[in-house]
Structure formats: C-alpha cells, structure tokens
Amino acid sequence: MTVIKVEDVTPLGRGGGVVTIPLITRQSAEEENLITTGISTYPVGTGAPLHSHNCDEHVTLLEGLAEVEIEGAGTVKLVPHDTTYVK
C-alpha cells in the first residue's frame, strides 16, 4: 500500500498557469503501478493539448466545468465529480 501526503508533494508548474500535484506515479508508488493520478488546476480557458500516456490515467473533475476529447469517443462535457479512466 502507498500513502501520499499531499503536503509533502512539490507542485509542478506546467506553463500557462497550469499546476499539477503528482500523487501516484512510478516514483511515488512503492510497487510497480499501472496508473497515474494527481491534482491539476487549469485556469479558465486553458487545457491540456491532445496527448497520449505510457500508463493508464484517472481524472476526477473536482470543481468547474470541463470537456474531454478521447480518441474514438469524441468530446464529452464534464461536471464536478465526473471521472474519466483512459487505458
């Protein structure tokens, strides 16, 4: 089991005002992990460019409104607590 204390994690500036607190990563997990997760804050009107990952990704929208575009699924509007899981 891995426990990550958010106050012990250094936030990463990603440009354009986007900030991520990486939680479960290969570096933080005590055993091999197949998923990454963290907390990202996006200023209104910003977003991540289309991209891919070398692991699974889980995202839960905590507040605000968002849209996610997933290959093969089109664009989906999200509201708080909606969750995505991408393999």
Side-chain angles (χ1 to χ4, degrees):
M1 181 172 108
T2 300
V3 175
I4 307 298
K5 301 294 281 181
V6 72
E7 65 266 14
D8 296 334
V9 178
T10 302
L12 303 173
R14 299 176 69 187
V18 177
V19 177
T20 296
I21 300 170
L23 297 174
I24 301 299
T25 66
R26 289 191 174 130
Q27 292 76 29
S28 66
E30 294 176 0
E31 63 272 350
E32 183 178 333
N33 67 307
L34 301 176
I35 189 168
T36 63
T37 192
I39 300 168
S40 292
T41 304
Y42 290 86
V44 173
T46 65
L50 293 177
H51 62 281
S52 62
H53 291 266
N54 59 357
C55 60
D56 295 358
E57 180 184 60
H58 145 264
V59 175
T60 299
L61 183 65
L62 298 178
E63 60 184 49
L65 301 173
E67 291 183 350
V68 61
E69 182 178 344
I70 300 174
E71 185 177 0
T75 301
V76 178
K77 294 181 186 280
L78 304 175
V79 298
H81 305 132
D82 285 350
T83 298
T84 64
Y85 177 71
V86 182
K87 288 182 125 192

Coordinates of all heavy atoms in Angstrom, one line a residue:
M1 N 0.8 -1.2 0.0 CA 0.0 0.0 0.0 C 0.9 1.2 0.0 O 1.9 1.3 0.6 CB -0.9 0.0 1.2 CG -1.8 1.2 1.3 SD -3.0 1.1 2.6 CE -2.4 2.3 3.7
T2 N 0.4 2.3 -0.7 CA 1.2 3.5 -0.8 C 0.2 4.6 -0.3 O -0.9 4.7 -0.7 CB 1.6 3.8 -2.2 OG1 2.4 2.8 -2.7 CG2 2.3 5.2 -2.3
V3 N 0.8 5.5 0.6 CA 0.0 6.6 1.1 C 0.8 7.9 0.7 O 2.0 8.0 1.0 CB -0.2 6.6 2.6 CG1 -0.8 7.9 3.1 CG2 -1.0 5.4 3.0
I4 N 0.2 8.8 0.0 CA 0.9 10.0 -0.4 C 0.2 11.2 0.4 O -1.0 11.4 0.3 CB 0.7 10.3 -1.9 CG1 1.1 9.1 -2.7 CG2 1.4 11.6 -2.3 CD1 2.5 8.7 -2.6
K5 N 1.0 11.9 1.1 CA 0.6 13.1 1.9 C 0.7 14.3 1.0 O 1.9 14.6 0.6 CB 1.3 13.2 3.2 CG 1.3 12.1 4.1 CD -0.1 11.8 4.6 CE -0.4 12.8 5.8 NZ -1.7 12.7 6.4
V6 N -0.4 14.9 0.5 CA -0.3 16.0 -0.4 C 0.6 17.1 0.0 O 1.2 17.7 -0.8 CB -1.8 16.4 -0.8 CG1 -2.4 17.2 0.3 CG2 -1.7 17.2 -2.1
E7 N 0.7 17.4 1.3 CA 1.5 18.5 1.8 C 3.0 18.2 1.6 O 3.8 19.1 1.6 CB 1.2 18.8 3.2 CG 1.6 17.7 4.2 CD 0.4 16.8 4.6 OE1 -0.6 16.8 3.9 OE2 0.5 16.1 5.5
D8 N 3.4 16.9 1.3 CA 4.8 16.5 1.1 C 5.1 16.5 -0.4 O 6.3 16.3 -0.7 CB 5.0 15.1 1.7 CG 4.9 15.1 3.2 OD1 5.0 16.1 3.8 OD2 4.6 14.0 3.7
V9 N 4.2 16.8 -1.3 CA 4.4 16.7 -2.7 C 4.7 18.2 -3.3 O 4.0 19.1 -3.0 CB 3.2 16.1 -3.5 CG1 3.5 16.1 -5.0 CG2 2.9 14.7 -2.9
T10 N 5.7 18.3 -4.1 CA 6.1 19.6 -4.7 C 5.2 19.7 -5.9 O 5.3 18.9 -6.9 CB 7.6 19.6 -5.1 OG1 8.4 19.4 -3.9 CG2 7.9 20.9 -5.7
P11 N 4.4 20.8 -6.0 CA 3.6 21.1 -7.2 C 4.5 21.4 -8.4 O 5.6 21.9 -8.2 CB 2.8 22.3 -6.8 CG 2.8 22.4 -5.3 CD 4.2 21.8 -4.9
L12 N 4.1 21.0 -9.6 CA 4.8 21.2 -10.8 C 4.1 22.3 -11.7 O 2.9 22.1 -12.0 CB 4.9 19.9 -11.6 CG 5.5 18.7 -10.9 CD1 5.4 17.5 -11.8 CD2 7.0 19.0 -10.6
G13 N 4.8 23.4 -12.0 CA 4.2 24.3 -12.9 C 4.4 23.8 -14.3 O 5.4 23.3 -14.7
R14 N 3.3 23.8 -15.1 CA 3.3 23.2 -16.4 C 3.1 24.2 -17.5 O 3.0 23.9 -18.7 CB 2.2 22.1 -16.5 CG 2.4 21.0 -15.5 CD 1.3 20.0 -15.4 NE 1.3 19.3 -16.6 CZ 0.4 18.4 -16.9 NH1 -0.6 18.2 -16.1 NH2 0.4 17.7 -18.0
G15 N 3.2 25.5 -17.1 CA 3.1 26.6 -18.1 C 1.7 27.0 -18.3 O 0.7 26.3 -18.0
G16 N 1.5 28.3 -18.6 CA 0.2 28.9 -18.8 C -0.7 28.9 -17.6 O -1.9 29.0 -17.7
G17 N -0.1 28.8 -16.4 CA -0.8 28.9 -15.2 C -1.3 27.5 -14.7 O -1.9 27.4 -13.6
V18 N -1.1 26.5 -15.5 CA -1.5 25.1 -15.1 C -0.5 24.6 -14.0 O 0.7 24.7 -14.2 CB -1.5 24.2 -16.3 CG1 -1.9 22.7 -15.9 CG2 -2.5 24.7 -17.4
V19 N -1.0 24.0 -13.0 CA -0.2 23.4 -11.9 C -0.7 22.0 -11.6 O -1.9 21.8 -11.5 CB -0.3 24.3 -10.6 CG1 0.5 23.7 -9.5 CG2 0.2 25.7 -10.9
T20 N 0.2 21.1 -11.4 CA -0.1 19.7 -11.1 C 0.6 19.3 -9.8 O 1.8 19.6 -9.7 CB 0.3 18.8 -12.3 OG1 -0.5 19.1 -13.4 CG2 0.0 17.3 -11.9
I21 N -0.2 18.6 -9.0 CA 0.4 17.9 -7.8 C 0.4 16.4 -8.1 O -0.6 15.8 -8.1 CB -0.4 18.2 -6.5 CG1 -0.4 19.7 -6.3 CG2 0.2 17.5 -5.3 CD1 -1.4 20.1 -5.2
P22 N 1.6 15.9 -8.5 CA 1.6 14.4 -8.9 C 1.5 13.6 -7.6 O 2.2 13.8 -6.7 CB 3.0 14.3 -9.5 CG 3.8 15.4 -9.0 CD 2.9 16.5 -8.6
L23 N 0.5 12.7 -7.6 CA 0.3 11.8 -6.5 C 0.8 10.4 -6.7 O 1.9 10.1 -6.3 CB -1.2 11.8 -6.1 CG -1.7 13.2 -5.7 CD1 -3.2 13.2 -5.5 CD2 -1.0 13.7 -4.4
I24 N 0.1 9.6 -7.4 CA 0.6 8.2 -7.7 C 1.3 8.3 -9.0 O 0.7 8.5 -10.1 CB -0.6 7.2 -7.8 CG1 -1.4 7.2 -6.4 CG2 -0.1 5.8 -8.1 CD1 -0.5 6.8 -5.2
T25 N 2.6 8.0 -8.9 CA 3.5 8.0 -10.1 C 4.4 6.8 -9.9 O 4.5 6.2 -8.8 CB 4.3 9.3 -10.2 OG1 5.2 9.4 -9.1 CG2 3.4 10.5 -10.3
R26 N 5.2 6.5 -10.9 CA 6.2 5.4 -10.8 C 7.2 5.8 -9.7 O 7.7 4.9 -9.0 CB 6.9 5.2 -12.1 CG 6.0 4.5 -13.1 CD 6.8 4.1 -14.3 NE 5.9 3.3 -15.1 CZ 5.8 3.5 -16.4 NH1 6.5 4.4 -17.0 NH2 4.9 2.8 -17.1
Q27 N 7.5 7.1 -9.5 CA 8.4 7.4 -8.4 C 7.9 7.3 -7.0 O 8.6 7.0 -6.1 CB 8.9 8.9 -8.7 CG 9.8 9.0 -9.9 CD 9.0 9.0 -11.2 OE1 7.9 9.4 -11.3 NE2 9.6 8.6 -12.3
S28 N 6.6 7.6 -6.9 CA 6.0 7.6 -5.5 C 5.4 6.3 -5.1 O 5.3 6.1 -3.9 CB 4.9 8.7 -5.5 OG 3.8 8.3 -6.3
A29 N 5.0 5.4 -6.0 CA 4.4 4.2 -5.6 C 5.5 3.2 -5.2 O 6.6 3.1 -5.8 CB 3.7 3.6 -6.8
E30 N 5.3 2.5 -4.1 CA 6.3 1.6 -3.6 C 6.4 0.3 -4.4 O 7.4 -0.4 -4.3 CB 5.9 1.2 -2.1 CG 6.0 2.4 -1.2 CD 5.6 2.1 0.2 OE1 5.2 1.0 0.5 OE2 5.7 3.1 1.0
E31 N 5.3 0.0 -5.2 CA 5.4 -1.2 -6.1 C 5.1 -0.7 -7.5 O 4.7 0.5 -7.7 CB 4.4 -2.2 -5.6 CG 2.9 -1.8 -5.7 CD 2.5 -1.1 -4.4 OE1 3.1 -1.2 -3.4 OE2 1.4 -0.6 -4.4
E32 N 5.3 -1.6 -8.4 CA 5.0 -1.2 -9.8 C 3.6 -0.8 -10.0 O 2.7 -1.4 -9.5 CB 5.3 -2.4 -10.8 CG 5.1 -2.0 -12.2 CD 5.5 -3.2 -13.1 OE1 6.3 -4.0 -12.7 OE2 4.9 -3.2 -14.2
N33 N 3.3 0.4 -10.6 CA 2.0 0.8 -10.8 C 1.7 0.9 -12.3 O 2.6 1.1 -13.1 CB 1.7 2.2 -10.1 CG 2.5 3.3 -10.7 OD1 3.7 3.2 -10.9 ND2 1.8 4.4 -11.1
L34 N 0.4 0.8 -12.6 CA 0.0 0.9 -14.0 C -0.9 2.1 -14.2 O -1.4 2.3 -15.3 CB -0.8 -0.4 -14.3 CG -0.1 -1.7 -14.2 CD1 -1.0 -2.9 -14.5 CD2 1.1 -1.7 -15.1
I35 N -1.0 3.0 -13.2 CA -1.9 4.2 -13.3 C -1.2 5.4 -12.7 O -0.4 5.2 -11.8 CB -3.3 3.9 -12.7 CG1 -4.2 5.1 -13.0 CG2 -3.1 3.7 -11.2 CD1 -5.7 4.8 -12.6
T36 N -1.5 6.5 -13.3 CA -1.0 7.8 -12.6 C -2.2 8.6 -12.2 O -3.3 8.5 -12.9 CB -0.1 8.6 -13.5 OG1 -0.9 9.0 -14.7 CG2 1.1 7.9 -14.0
T37 N -2.0 9.4 -11.2 CA -3.1 10.3 -10.8 C -2.5 11.5 -10.0 O -1.3 11.3 -9.5 CB -4.2 9.6 -9.9 OG1 -5.3 10.4 -9.8 CG2 -3.7 9.1 -8.6
G38 N -3.2 12.6 -10.0 CA -2.7 13.7 -9.3 C -3.8 14.8 -9.2 O -4.9 14.5 -9.6
I39 N -3.4 16.0 -8.8 CA -4.4 17.1 -8.8 C -3.8 18.2 -9.7 O -2.7 18.6 -9.5 CB -4.6 17.6 -7.4 CG1 -5.1 16.5 -6.4 CG2 -5.5 18.8 -7.4 CD1 -5.0 16.9 -5.0
S40 N -4.6 18.5 -10.8 CA -4.2 19.6 -11.7 C -5.2 20.7 -11.6 O -6.4 20.5 -11.5 CB -4.1 19.1 -13.1 OG -3.0 18.2 -13.2
T41 N -4.7 21.9 -11.7 CA -5.5 23.1 -11.7 C -5.3 23.8 -13.0 O -4.1 24.1 -13.4 CB -5.1 24.1 -10.5 OG1 -5.3 23.3 -9.3 CG2 -6.0 25.3 -10.5
Y42 N -6.4 24.1 -13.7 CA -6.3 24.8 -15.0 C -7.1 26.1 -14.9 O -8.2 26.1 -14.6 CB -7.0 23.9 -16.1 CG -6.2 22.7 -16.5 CD1 -6.4 21.5 -15.8 CD2 -5.3 22.7 -17.5 CE1 -5.7 20.4 -16.1 CE2 -4.6 21.5 -17.9 CZ -4.8 20.4 -17.2 OH -4.1 19.3 -17.5
P43 N -6.4 27.2 -15.2 CA -7.1 28.5 -15.3 C -8.2 28.4 -16.4 O -8.1 27.7 -17.3 CB -6.1 29.5 -15.7 CG -4.8 28.9 -15.3 CD -5.0 27.4 -15.5
V44 N -9.3 29.2 -16.1 CA -10.4 29.2 -17.1 C -9.9 29.5 -18.5 O -9.0 30.4 -18.7 CB -11.4 30.3 -16.7 CG1 -12.5 30.4 -17.8 CG2 -12.1 29.9 -15.4
G45 N -10.3 28.7 -19.5 CA -9.9 28.9 -20.9 C -8.7 28.2 -21.3 O -8.3 28.3 -22.4
T46 N -8.1 27.4 -20.3 CA -6.9 26.7 -20.7 C -7.2 25.2 -20.7 O -8.3 24.7 -20.3 CB -5.7 26.9 -19.7 OG1 -6.1 26.4 -18.4 CG2 -5.4 28.4 -19.6
G47 N -6.2 24.4 -21.1 CA -6.4 22.9 -21.1 C -5.1 22.3 -21.6 O -4.2 22.9 -21.9
A48 N -5.2 21.0 -21.5 CA -4.0 20.2 -22.0 C -4.1 19.9 -23.5 O -5.2 19.7 -24.0 CB -3.9 18.9 -21.2
P49 N -3.0 20.0 -24.2 CA -3.1 19.6 -25.6 C -3.4 18.1 -25.8 O -3.2 17.3 -24.8 CB -1.7 19.9 -26.1 CG -0.8 19.8 -24.9 CD -1.7 20.2 -23.8
L50 N -3.8 17.7 -27.0 CA -4.0 16.3 -27.2 C -2.7 15.6 -27.0 O -1.7 16.0 -27.4 CB -4.6 16.1 -28.6 CG -6.0 16.6 -28.9 CD1 -6.3 16.4 -30.4 CD2 -7.0 16.0 -28.0
H51 N -2.8 14.5 -26.3 CA -1.5 13.7 -25.9 C -1.9 12.3 -25.6 O -3.0 11.9 -25.6 CB -0.8 14.4 -24.7 CG -1.7 14.4 -23.5 ND1 -2.7 15.3 -23.3 CD2 -1.6 13.6 -22.4 CE1 -3.2 15.0 -22.1 NE2 -2.6 14.0 -21.5
S52 N -0.8 11.5 -25.4 CA -1.0 10.1 -25.0 C -0.1 9.8 -23.8 O 0.7 10.6 -23.4 CB -0.7 9.1 -26.2 OG 0.7 9.3 -26.5
H53 N -0.4 8.7 -23.2 CA 0.4 8.3 -22.0 C 1.0 6.9 -22.1 O 0.5 6.1 -23.0 CB -0.6 8.2 -20.8 CG -1.0 9.6 -20.3 ND1 -0.4 10.3 -19.4 CD2 -2.1 10.3 -20.8 CE1 -1.0 11.5 -19.2 NE2 -2.1 11.5 -20.0
N54 N 2.0 6.6 -21.3 CA 2.6 5.2 -21.3 C 2.0 4.4 -20.1 O 2.6 3.4 -19.7 CB 4.1 5.3 -21.3 CG 4.6 6.1 -20.0 OD1 3.8 6.6 -19.2 ND2 5.9 6.1 -19.9
C55 N 0.9 4.9 -19.6 CA 0.2 4.2 -18.5 C -1.3 4.6 -18.5 O -1.7 5.5 -19.3 CB 0.9 4.5 -17.1 SG 0.8 6.3 -16.8
D56 N -2.1 4.0 -17.6 CA -3.5 4.3 -17.5 C -3.5 5.7 -16.8 O -2.7 6.0 -16.0 CB -4.2 3.3 -16.8 CG -4.3 1.9 -17.5 OD1 -3.8 1.8 -18.6 OD2 -4.9 1.0 -17.0
E57 N -4.6 6.4 -17.0 CA -4.8 7.7 -16.3 C -6.2 7.8 -15.8 O -7.2 7.5 -16.6 CB -4.5 8.9 -17.2 CG -4.7 10.2 -16.6 CD -4.5 11.4 -17.5 OE1 -5.2 11.5 -18.5 OE2 -3.6 12.2 -17.3
H58 N -6.4 8.3 -14.6 CA -7.7 8.5 -14.0 C -7.8 10.0 -13.7 O -6.8 10.6 -13.2 CB -7.8 7.7 -12.7 CG -8.5 8.4 -11.6 ND1 -7.9 9.1 -10.6 CD2 -9.8 8.4 -11.3 CE1 -8.8 9.5 -9.8 NE2 -10.0 9.2 -10.2
V59 N -8.9 10.6 -14.0 CA -9.1 12.0 -13.7 C -10.5 12.2 -13.2 O -11.5 11.7 -13.8 CB -9.0 12.9 -15.0 CG1 -9.4 14.4 -14.7 CG2 -7.6 12.8 -15.6
T60 N -10.7 12.9 -12.0 CA -12.0 13.3 -11.5 C -12.0 14.8 -11.4 O -11.1 15.4 -10.9 CB -12.2 12.7 -10.1 OG1 -12.1 11.3 -10.1 CG2 -13.5 13.1 -9.5
L61 N -13.0 15.4 -12.0 CA -13.2 16.8 -12.0 C -13.8 17.2 -10.6 O -14.8 16.8 -10.2 CB -14.2 17.3 -13.1 CG -14.4 18.8 -13.3 CD1 -13.1 19.5 -13.7 CD2 -15.5 19.0 -14.2
L62 N -13.0 18.1 -9.9 CA -13.4 18.4 -8.6 C -14.3 19.7 -8.5 O -15.3 19.8 -7.7 CB -12.2 18.7 -7.7 CG -11.3 17.5 -7.5 CD1 -10.1 17.8 -6.6 CD2 -12.1 16.3 -6.8
E63 N -14.1 20.6 -9.4 CA -14.9 21.8 -9.5 C -14.8 22.4 -10.9 O -13.9 22.2 -11.6 CB -14.6 22.8 -8.4 CG -13.2 23.4 -8.5 CD -12.9 24.3 -7.3 OE1 -13.2 24.0 -6.1 OE2 -12.4 25.4 -7.6
G64 N -15.8 23.2 -11.2 CA -15.8 23.9 -12.5 C -16.5 23.0 -13.6 O -17.1 22.0 -13.3
L65 N -16.3 23.4 -14.8 CA -16.8 22.6 -16.0 C -15.6 22.3 -16.9 O -14.7 23.1 -16.9 CB -17.8 23.4 -16.7 CG -19.1 23.8 -15.9 CD1 -20.0 24.8 -16.7 CD2 -19.9 22.6 -15.4
A66 N -15.7 21.2 -17.6 CA -14.6 20.8 -18.5 C -15.1 20.0 -19.7 O -16.3 19.6 -19.6 CB -13.5 20.0 -17.7
E67 N -14.3 19.9 -20.7 CA -14.6 19.0 -21.8 C -13.4 18.1 -21.9 O -12.2 18.6 -21.8 CB -14.8 19.8 -23.1 CG -16.1 20.5 -23.1 CD -16.3 21.2 -24.4 OE1 -15.4 21.3 -25.3 OE2 -17.4 21.8 -24.6
V68 N -13.6 16.9 -22.3 CA -12.5 15.9 -22.6 C -12.7 15.3 -23.9 O -13.9 15.0 -24.3 CB -12.4 14.8 -21.5 CG1 -13.6 14.0 -21.4 CG2 -11.2 14.0 -21.7
E69 N -11.7 15.2 -24.7 CA -11.7 14.6 -26.0 C -10.9 13.3 -25.9 O -9.7 13.4 -25.7 CB -11.2 15.5 -27.1 CG -11.3 14.9 -28.5 CD -10.8 15.9 -29.6 OE1 -10.7 17.1 -29.3 OE2 -10.5 15.4 -30.7
I70 N -11.6 12.2 -26.2 CA -10.9 10.9 -26.1 C -11.0 10.2 -27.5 O -12.1 10.1 -28.0 CB -11.5 10.0 -25.0 CG1 -11.3 10.7 -23.6 CG2 -10.8 8.6 -25.0 CD1 -11.9 10.0 -22.5
E71 N -9.9 9.8 -28.0 CA -9.9 9.2 -29.3 C -11.0 8.1 -29.4 O -11.0 7.2 -28.6 CB -8.5 8.6 -29.7 CG -8.4 8.1 -31.1 CD -7.0 7.6 -31.4 OE1 -6.1 7.7 -30.5 OE2 -6.9 7.1 -32.5
G72 N -11.8 8.2 -30.4 CA -12.8 7.2 -30.6 C -14.1 7.4 -29.9 O -15.1 6.8 -30.1
A73 N -14.1 8.4 -28.9 CA -15.3 8.6 -28.1 C -15.8 10.1 -28.3 O -16.8 10.4 -27.8 CB -15.0 8.4 -26.6
G74 N -15.1 10.9 -29.0 CA -15.5 12.3 -29.3 C -15.3 13.1 -28.0 O -14.5 12.8 -27.2
T75 N -16.0 14.2 -28.0 CA -15.8 15.2 -26.9 C -17.0 15.0 -25.9 O -18.2 14.9 -26.3 CB -15.8 16.6 -27.4 OG1 -14.7 16.8 -28.3 CG2 -15.7 17.6 -26.3
V76 N -16.7 15.0 -24.6 CA -17.7 14.8 -23.6 C -17.6 15.9 -22.6 O -16.5 16.3 -22.1 CB -17.5 13.4 -22.8 CG1 -18.5 13.3 -21.7 CG2 -17.5 12.3 -23.8
K77 N -18.7 16.6 -22.2 CA -18.7 17.6 -21.2 C -18.7 17.0 -19.9 O -19.4 16.0 -19.6 CB -20.0 18.5 -21.4 CG -19.9 19.3 -22.7 CD -21.1 20.2 -22.9 CE -21.2 20.9 -24.2 NZ -20.3 22.0 -24.3
L78 N -18.0 17.6 -18.9 CA -17.8 17.1 -17.6 C -18.3 18.1 -16.6 O -18.1 19.3 -16.8 CB -16.4 16.7 -17.3 CG -15.7 15.7 -18.2 CD1 -14.2 15.5 -17.8 CD2 -16.4 14.4 -18.2
V79 N -18.9 17.6 -15.5 CA -19.3 18.4 -14.3 C -18.6 17.8 -13.1 O -18.1 16.7 -13.1 CB -20.8 18.5 -14.2 CG1 -21.5 19.1 -15.4 CG2 -21.4 17.1 -13.9
P80 N -18.6 18.6 -12.0 CA -17.9 18.1 -10.8 C -18.3 16.6 -10.4 O -19.4 16.3 -10.5 CB -18.3 19.1 -9.7 CG -18.5 20.4 -10.5 CD -19.1 19.9 -11.8
H81 N -17.2 15.9 -10.1 CA -17.2 14.5 -9.7 C -17.3 13.5 -10.9 O -17.2 12.3 -10.6 CB -18.3 14.2 -8.6 CG -18.1 15.1 -7.4 ND1 -19.1 15.8 -6.8 CD2 -16.9 15.5 -6.8 CE1 -18.6 16.5 -5.9 NE2 -17.3 16.4 -5.8
D82 N -17.5 14.0 -12.1 CA -17.4 13.1 -13.3 C -16.0 12.6 -13.3 O -15.1 13.3 -13.0 CB -17.8 13.8 -14.6 CG -19.2 14.0 -14.8 OD1 -20.1 13.5 -14.0 OD2 -19.6 14.8 -15.7
T83 N -15.8 11.4 -13.7 CA -14.5 10.7 -13.7 C -14.2 10.1 -15.0 O -15.1 9.5 -15.6 CB -14.4 9.7 -12.6 OG1 -14.6 10.3 -11.3 CG2 -13.1 9.0 -12.5
T84 N -13.0 10.2 -15.5 CA -12.5 9.5 -16.7 C -11.5 8.5 -16.3 O -10.7 8.7 -15.4 CB -12.0 10.5 -17.8 OG1 -10.8 11.1 -17.2 CG2 -13.0 11.6 -18.1
Y85 N -11.4 7.5 -17.1 CA -10.3 6.5 -17.0 C -9.9 6.1 -18.4 O -10.7 5.7 -19.2 CB -10.8 5.3 -16.2 CG -9.8 4.2 -16.1 CD1 -8.7 4.3 -15.3 CD2 -9.9 3.0 -16.9 CE1 -7.8 3.3 -15.2 CE2 -9.0 2.0 -16.8 CZ -7.9 2.2 -15.9 OH -7.0 1.2 -15.8
V86 N -8.6 6.4 -18.7 CA -8.1 6.2 -20.0 C -7.0 5.1 -19.9 O -6.1 5.2 -19.2 CB -7.5 7.5 -20.6 CG1 -7.0 7.2 -22.0 CG2 -8.6 8.5 -20.6
K87 N -7.2 4.0 -20.7 CA -6.1 3.0 -20.8 C -5.2 3.3 -21.9 O -5.5 3.8 -22.9 CB -6.8 1.6 -21.1 CG -7.6 1.1 -19.9 CD -8.1 -0.2 -20.2 CE -7.7 -1.2 -19.1 NZ -7.8 -2.5 -19.3

